[in-house]
Amino acid sequence: LQVFLVEKAGRRSLFLAGLMGMLVSAVAMTAGLVLLSQFAWMSYVSMVAIFLFVIFFEVGPGPIPWFIVAELFSQGPRPAAIAVAGFCNWACNFIVGMCFQYIADLCGPYVFAIFAALLLLFFLFAYFKVPETKGKSFEEIAAVFRRKKLSAKAMTELQDLRASEEA
């Protein structure tokens, strides 16, 4: 089912939708935990938010990075890139798993606000920097990155020219 969904909707759009859904869920979990002492029914809000968080993770940030990493690199460096991505993934999982209880004790009901802030940063990064790779060859994806690099370089040169004309 996930492969069909990825091929139909696109990697980038699913990734962004998953991140935004997780962000909203993290905010809802925070609200549920903060207001739990005032409203008993907020426990249900927290439970639904947790289930939605997992569902959105499984739609976007769970599987999509593996597709994208495999498509961003050519045959030569691809195994090393996937190994580095796997290491980063498991290292972050380990750090969160080992530190969560201490952070929860420190932050109390606001612990998921940290996740919400990080998810917002991840969403913004993915929105502005991650290209759609669906239906594109490695060469087409590499050309997108070259154009971005060239356009940034051209803008710098244009600014330099304008500055020298004004002087």
mmCIF file of all heavy atoms in Angstrom, residues 8 30 32 40 47-48 53 58 60 67 89 92 96 106 108 116 129 132 142 147 153 163 166:
data_model
loop_
_atom_site.group_PDB
_atom_site.id
_atom_site.type_symbol
_atom_site.label_atom_id
_atom_site.label_comp_id
_atom_site.label_asym_id
_atom_site.label_seq_id
_atom_site.Cartn_x
_atom_site.Cartn_y
_atom_site.Cartn_z
ATOM 1 N N LYS A 8 1.864 7.340 -6.372
ATOM 2 C CA LYS A 8 0.709 8.145 -6.792
ATOM 3 C C LYS A 8 0.826 9.595 -6.308
ATOM 4 O O LYS A 8 0.642 10.525 -7.089
ATOM 5 C CB LYS A 8 -0.580 7.503 -6.243
ATOM 6 C CG LYS A 8 -1.838 8.090 -6.794
ATOM 7 C CD LYS A 8 -2.055 7.670 -8.222
ATOM 8 C CE LYS A 8 -3.435 8.137 -8.661
ATOM 9 N NZ LYS A 8 -3.567 8.094 -10.085
ATOM 10 N N THR A 30 0.595 18.191 23.484
ATOM 11 C CA THR A 30 1.000 19.176 24.488
ATOM 12 C C THR A 30 -0.229 19.815 25.131
ATOM 13 O O THR A 30 -0.310 19.921 26.367
ATOM 14 C CB THR A 30 1.898 20.257 23.852
ATOM 15 O OG1 THR A 30 3.039 19.618 23.284
ATOM 16 C CG2 THR A 30 2.339 21.268 24.879
ATOM 17 N N GLY A 32 -3.206 18.596 25.299
ATOM 18 C CA GLY A 32 -3.885 17.576 26.099
ATOM 19 C C GLY A 32 -3.232 17.367 27.449
ATOM 20 O O GLY A 32 -3.916 17.248 28.471
ATOM 21 N N ALA A 40 -10.918 16.287 32.291
ATOM 22 C CA ALA A 40 -10.593 14.860 32.272
ATOM 23 C C ALA A 40 -10.628 14.284 30.848
ATOM 24 O O ALA A 40 -9.869 13.368 30.529
ATOM 25 C CB ALA A 40 -11.551 14.095 33.169
ATOM 26 N N MET A 47 -4.688 10.685 23.587
ATOM 27 C CA MET A 47 -4.618 9.353 22.954
ATOM 28 C C MET A 47 -4.802 9.446 21.448
ATOM 29 O O MET A 47 -4.050 8.833 20.686
ATOM 30 C CB MET A 47 -5.662 8.410 23.562
ATOM 31 C CG MET A 47 -5.267 7.867 24.902
ATOM 32 S SD MET A 47 -6.294 6.488 25.458
ATOM 33 C CE MET A 47 -7.924 7.079 25.220
ATOM 34 N N VAL A 48 -5.793 10.207 21.012
ATOM 35 C CA VAL A 48 -6.023 10.371 19.572
ATOM 36 C C VAL A 48 -4.802 11.024 18.920
ATOM 37 O O VAL A 48 -4.375 10.638 17.835
ATOM 38 C CB VAL A 48 -7.313 11.184 19.314
ATOM 39 C CG1 VAL A 48 -7.425 11.602 17.861
ATOM 40 C CG2 VAL A 48 -8.535 10.385 19.734
ATOM 41 N N PHE A 53 -0.161 10.837 15.460
ATOM 42 C CA PHE A 53 1.275 11.058 15.323
ATOM 43 C C PHE A 53 1.930 9.849 14.651
ATOM 44 O O PHE A 53 2.705 9.999 13.717
ATOM 45 C CB PHE A 53 1.889 11.307 16.702
ATOM 46 C CG PHE A 53 3.323 11.750 16.681
ATOM 47 C CD1 PHE A 53 3.634 13.098 16.655
ATOM 48 C CD2 PHE A 53 4.357 10.832 16.703
ATOM 49 C CE1 PHE A 53 4.956 13.522 16.644
ATOM 50 C CE2 PHE A 53 5.676 11.236 16.683
ATOM 51 C CZ PHE A 53 5.983 12.589 16.659
ATOM 52 N N GLU A 58 4.102 7.134 9.795
ATOM 53 C CA GLU A 58 4.144 6.005 8.867
ATOM 54 C C GLU A 58 3.799 6.400 7.437
ATOM 55 O O GLU A 58 4.121 5.683 6.500
ATOM 56 C CB GLU A 58 3.201 4.894 9.344
ATOM 57 C CG GLU A 58 3.661 4.216 10.610
ATOM 58 C CD GLU A 58 5.026 3.571 10.488
ATOM 59 O OE1 GLU A 58 5.370 3.069 9.395
ATOM 60 O OE2 GLU A 58 5.767 3.586 11.477
ATOM 61 N N GLY A 60 4.702 9.544 6.136
ATOM 62 C CA GLY A 60 5.727 10.427 5.605
ATOM 63 C C GLY A 60 7.127 10.172 6.110
ATOM 64 O O GLY A 60 7.915 9.482 5.453
ATOM 65 N N PHE A 67 13.345 6.336 0.460
ATOM 66 C CA PHE A 67 13.153 6.496 -0.983
ATOM 67 C C PHE A 67 14.036 7.630 -1.502
ATOM 68 O O PHE A 67 14.704 7.509 -2.521
ATOM 69 C CB PHE A 67 11.688 6.844 -1.323
ATOM 70 C CG PHE A 67 10.730 5.712 -1.229
ATOM 71 C CD1 PHE A 67 9.989 5.501 -0.080
ATOM 72 C CD2 PHE A 67 10.545 4.852 -2.301
ATOM 73 C CE1 PHE A 67 9.092 4.468 0.005
ATOM 74 C CE2 PHE A 67 9.641 3.812 -2.221
ATOM 75 C CZ PHE A 67 8.912 3.615 -1.069
ATOM 76 N N ASN A 89 19.721 7.715 11.424
ATOM 77 C CA ASN A 89 18.372 7.348 11.863
ATOM 78 C C ASN A 89 18.421 6.606 13.197
ATOM 79 O O ASN A 89 17.731 6.982 14.157
ATOM 80 C CB ASN A 89 17.706 6.495 10.784
ATOM 81 C CG ASN A 89 16.292 6.113 11.117
ATOM 82 O OD1 ASN A 89 15.748 6.471 12.146
ATOM 83 N ND2 ASN A 89 15.674 5.363 10.234
ATOM 84 N N CYS A 92 19.771 8.776 16.181
ATOM 85 C CA CYS A 92 18.746 9.689 16.698
ATOM 86 C C CYS A 92 17.681 8.931 17.483
ATOM 87 O O CYS A 92 17.226 9.406 18.533
ATOM 88 C CB CYS A 92 18.118 10.478 15.557
ATOM 89 S SG CYS A 92 19.250 11.707 14.858
ATOM 90 N N VAL A 96 16.906 9.779 21.401
ATOM 91 C CA VAL A 96 15.554 10.110 21.882
ATOM 92 C C VAL A 96 15.104 9.081 22.916
ATOM 93 O O VAL A 96 14.557 9.435 23.968
ATOM 94 C CB VAL A 96 14.558 10.201 20.705
ATOM 95 C CG1 VAL A 96 13.123 10.272 21.215
ATOM 96 C CG2 VAL A 96 14.865 11.401 19.835
ATOM 97 N N LEU A 106 12.048 17.001 33.095
ATOM 98 C CA LEU A 106 12.464 18.392 33.113
ATOM 99 C C LEU A 106 11.375 19.330 32.583
ATOM 100 O O LEU A 106 11.119 20.384 33.180
ATOM 101 C CB LEU A 106 13.740 18.558 32.276
ATOM 102 C CG LEU A 106 14.376 19.934 32.238
ATOM 103 C CD1 LEU A 106 14.951 20.297 33.610
ATOM 104 C CD2 LEU A 106 15.464 19.978 31.182
ATOM 105 N N GLY A 108 8.013 18.473 31.875
ATOM 106 C CA GLY A 108 6.645 18.167 32.286
ATOM 107 C C GLY A 108 5.727 18.016 31.086
ATOM 108 O O GLY A 108 6.091 17.383 30.095
ATOM 109 N N ALA A 116 7.469 19.468 18.571
ATOM 110 C CA ALA A 116 6.739 20.347 17.646
ATOM 111 C C ALA A 116 7.684 21.373 17.024
ATOM 112 O O ALA A 116 7.629 21.631 15.816
ATOM 113 C CB ALA A 116 5.582 21.042 18.361
ATOM 114 N N LYS A 129 14.149 22.920 0.633
ATOM 115 C CA LYS A 129 15.376 22.304 0.134
ATOM 116 C C LYS A 129 15.214 20.925 -0.511
ATOM 117 O O LYS A 129 16.072 20.514 -1.275
ATOM 118 C CB LYS A 129 16.401 22.179 1.275
ATOM 119 C CG LYS A 129 16.851 23.501 1.835
ATOM 120 C CD LYS A 129 17.675 24.261 0.834
ATOM 121 C CE LYS A 129 18.219 25.541 1.437
ATOM 122 N NZ LYS A 129 18.969 26.327 0.483
ATOM 123 N N GLU A 132 11.174 17.192 -5.338
ATOM 124 C CA GLU A 132 10.347 16.012 -5.645
ATOM 125 C C GLU A 132 11.186 15.084 -6.509
ATOM 126 O O GLU A 132 11.786 15.515 -7.489
ATOM 127 C CB GLU A 132 9.073 16.425 -6.376
ATOM 128 C CG GLU A 132 8.199 15.260 -6.797
ATOM 129 C CD GLU A 132 7.758 14.395 -5.634
ATOM 130 O OE1 GLU A 132 6.899 14.835 -4.862
ATOM 131 O OE2 GLU A 132 8.287 13.264 -5.499
ATOM 132 N N ALA A 142 19.873 15.655 -10.075
ATOM 133 C CA ALA A 142 21.148 16.359 -9.952
ATOM 134 C C ALA A 142 21.082 17.719 -10.641
ATOM 135 O O ALA A 142 21.647 18.702 -10.150
ATOM 136 C CB ALA A 142 22.275 15.507 -10.534
ATOM 137 N N ARG A 147 21.013 23.695 -10.698
ATOM 138 C CA ARG A 147 20.329 24.959 -10.980
ATOM 139 C C ARG A 147 20.227 25.813 -9.725
ATOM 140 O O ARG A 147 20.440 27.025 -9.762
ATOM 141 C CB ARG A 147 18.930 24.716 -11.550
ATOM 142 C CG ARG A 147 18.932 24.446 -13.035
ATOM 143 C CD ARG A 147 17.532 24.570 -13.595
ATOM 144 N NE ARG A 147 16.565 23.651 -13.012
ATOM 145 C CZ ARG A 147 16.336 22.410 -13.439
ATOM 146 N NH1 ARG A 147 17.006 21.924 -14.455
ATOM 147 N NH2 ARG A 147 15.432 21.663 -12.848
ATOM 148 N N LYS A 153 24.734 31.340 -6.974
ATOM 149 C CA LYS A 153 26.008 31.932 -7.368
ATOM 150 C C LYS A 153 25.764 33.141 -8.263
ATOM 151 O O LYS A 153 26.407 34.185 -8.118
ATOM 152 C CB LYS A 153 26.864 30.890 -8.092
ATOM 153 C CG LYS A 153 28.229 31.403 -8.469
ATOM 154 C CD LYS A 153 29.051 30.310 -9.140
ATOM 155 C CE LYS A 153 30.404 30.861 -9.556
ATOM 156 N NZ LYS A 153 31.181 29.866 -10.270
ATOM 157 N N ALA A 163 26.942 46.410 -6.509
ATOM 158 C CA ALA A 163 27.735 47.116 -5.495
ATOM 159 C C ALA A 163 28.885 47.861 -6.149
ATOM 160 O O ALA A 163 29.196 48.990 -5.765
ATOM 161 C CB ALA A 163 28.240 46.135 -4.452
ATOM 162 N N GLU A 166 27.594 51.001 -7.927
ATOM 163 C CA GLU A 166 27.214 52.082 -7.024
ATOM 164 C C GLU A 166 28.418 52.795 -6.447
ATOM 165 O O GLU A 166 28.326 53.952 -6.045
ATOM 166 C CB GLU A 166 26.341 51.531 -5.887
ATOM 167 C CG GLU A 166 24.990 51.046 -6.362
ATOM 168 C CD GLU A 166 24.209 50.344 -5.273
ATOM 169 O OE1 GLU A 166 24.725 50.221 -4.134
ATOM 170 O OE2 GLU A 166 23.072 49.902 -5.540
#
